[in-house]
Amino acid sequence: MKRFRRTAVVVAAGVAVVVLPAVPAGAGGGADHGQGGPVVTVATGLDGPRQLNDYRGNRVVVAESDSGEVSSVSLRSGKVESLLSGLFSPQGVDYDRGRLYVATGGPPPPEEGGAPGAPPPGASSLVVAEPGGGVLQTIDLLAYELAANPDGQLQFGPDGAPVDALSNPFAVLAQGRRVLVADAGANAVLSVDARTGEVSTFFVPPVVTDVPGCETAENNPGTVGCDPVPTGITEGPHGRVYVSTLGAEVPGAGRVYVLSSRGRVVDVIDGLTSPTGLAVDRRGTVYVSNVIEGAPQGAPGPDFDPATIGEVTRVPARGARSTAQVAMPTGLLVRDGDLYASAWSIAAFLQLPAGRGEIVRVGRGAFTPVGG
């Protein structure tokens, strides 16, 4: 959970960068302490690490989508400890008041021309659990999508009947009485009452039509433009909520929406491409991960280095943007002034070996000016 308090050291959420091959696995602390240029590997052996958040002591919590686990990671030793297992595709996680809040993803799409099957148990849900204990509650977010259809878009099933059956919860922000969930399938940010489990709509980002490639883009029936697709959510200064949206991977169609605590748009950061997560520090600097940038358009050549896929964009409150090359980053976190990220988060998609995922810490010197 992110809290910005006037009387305490502010803990926000931050950035990441590519893991350098020369850094040994499980390097732990490292002399740089995140303030200079070198990128330090904090932990290895993760499977599809996605969202990062604060946990107990010197540890962070991470959702491992490929292994079905939620794990804690020591930022000092690099030790990884499983807190939950047997989940369906955990993608987002936050920790608040002794409980874990986990967003589980939706099932893969059916084969072309085939009918969708029944969703696996626990898919498209917000799971509430005790660390190392049992699941306390599973809140079905697909059921809310089917009943409320927050984005108003229609699809058509195999029988021709209109349906809207997409729910792919991707990131979580626990805020005491409520839990906000960025649902990438529903094109909406949902609010879940932490006491009752009641689901409501917090924010629906608009379809993007004002960038080249989106003006006449084909979408669901009756919709033109690039789907916004919420991917990241965090809390920033003054209680504002920040939401990153993918923009259908069209260059420049990605956004970060700055919202009031009630979901009103306060500001929009545009000109981004394929955001997959974000973080905000106490000065209002926004960090946006991009797991797609640098991916080959066709089959990669023999000299292609998968570590070149991905980057993080740094957007200061004032001044020019800068970027750092990252290895497939998704989750971002700033802790005690250091910047962390989950890296190699889509390694399985590229058929890389299991356990390739990492948590890394990056120094400020890794960022270079955009266009520089």
Side-chain angles (χ1 to χ4, degrees):
M1 185 177 98
K2 304 295 168 294
R3 291 291 183 188
F4 285 78
R5 298 185 176 90
R6 296 180 181 177
T7 57
V9 176
V10 176
V11 177
V15 69
V17 84
V18 67
V19 179
L20 301 180
V23 178
D32 175 68
H33 198 59
Q35 300 303 313
V39 175
V40 177
T41 303
V42 174
T44 61
L46 302 171
D47 290 290
R50 300 290 169 84
Q51 189 179 17
L52 283 175
N53 260 312
D54 287 308
Y55 190 51
R56 300 167 176 168
N58 68 340
R59 293 175 289 172
V60 297
V61 64
V62 58
E64 296 186 68
S65 180
D66 297 338
S67 67
E69 295 178 283
V70 171
S71 299
S72 72
V73 176
S74 169
L75 298 180
R76 293 178 182 172
S77 67
K79 180 181 178 181
V80 178
E81 179 183 358
S82 180
L83 302 176
L84 292 173
S85 60
L87 301 175
F88 181 84
S89 187
Q91 302 191 115
V93 63
D94 203 356
Y95 174 75
D96 184 27
R97 305 182 187 187
R99 293 185 175 182
L100 292 168
Y101 297 89
V102 186
T104 60
E111 297 292 334
E112 186 174 354
S124 301
S125 299
L126 177 67
V127 175
V128 185
E130 295 179 333
V135 171
L136 302 175
Q137 190 176 14
T138 300
I139 300 164
D140 188 345
L141 300 183
L142 176 58
Y144 181 79
E145 163 69 7
L146 292 171
N149 189 15
D151 68 351
Q153 293 190 33
L154 291 178
Q155 300 181 64
F156 292 90
D159 58 357
V163 297
D164 190 350
L166 289 179
S167 176
N168 184 30
F170 200 77
V172 180
L173 172 63
Q175 294 186 304
R177 295 181 179 180
R178 72 179 179 187
V179 182
L180 299 179
V181 182
D183 192 326
N187 290 336
V189 177
L190 307 178
S191 178
V192 181
D193 188 295
R195 182 177 62 87
T196 66
E198 181 180 358
V199 184
S200 59
T201 301
F202 176 74
F203 174 64
V204 179
V207 173
V208 179
T209 58
D210 60 350
V211 300
C214 289
E215 314 99 314
T216 59
E218 294 184 6
N219 206 312
N220 288 322
T223 305
V224 175
C226 293
D227 270 349
V229 186
T231 55
I233 187 166
T234 193
E235 184 178 314
H238 312 297
R240 291 176 176 173
V241 176
Y242 291 68
V243 177
S244 62
T245 62
L246 194 63
E249 300 178 19
V250 172
R255 302 280 190 269
V256 170
Y257 290 91
V258 185
L259 311 173
S260 71
S261 61
R262 296 186 177 183
R264 180 179 62 86
V265 177
V266 176
D267 195 11
V268 181
I269 300 170
D270 57 14
L272 302 168
T273 300
S274 305
T276 51
L278 84 164
V280 186
D281 70 17
R282 62 189 177 119
R283 295 181 178 86
T285 299
V286 178
Y287 298 92
V288 184
S289 60
N290 181 352
V291 77
I292 306 298
E293 191 69 26
Q297 297 298 314
D303 297 328
F304 175 71
D305 181 0
T308 61
I309 298 177
E311 67 180 22
V312 168
T313 301
R314 180 181 184 271
V315 185
R318 295 181 179 84
R321 298 182 184 186
S322 56
T323 60
Q325 187 182 14
V326 304
M328 311 173 204
T330 299
L332 305 176
L333 183 68
V334 170
R335 180 151 177 173
D336 299 331
D338 286 339
L339 294 81
Y340 298 89
S342 58
W344 299 90
S345 63
I346 59 168
F349 179 77
L350 299 177
Q351 298 182 341
L352 298 177
R356 188 64 183 87
E358 300 179 344
I359 303 297
V360 299
R361 186 178 67 234
V362 61
R364 299 189 186 107
F367 287 87
T368 58
V370 172

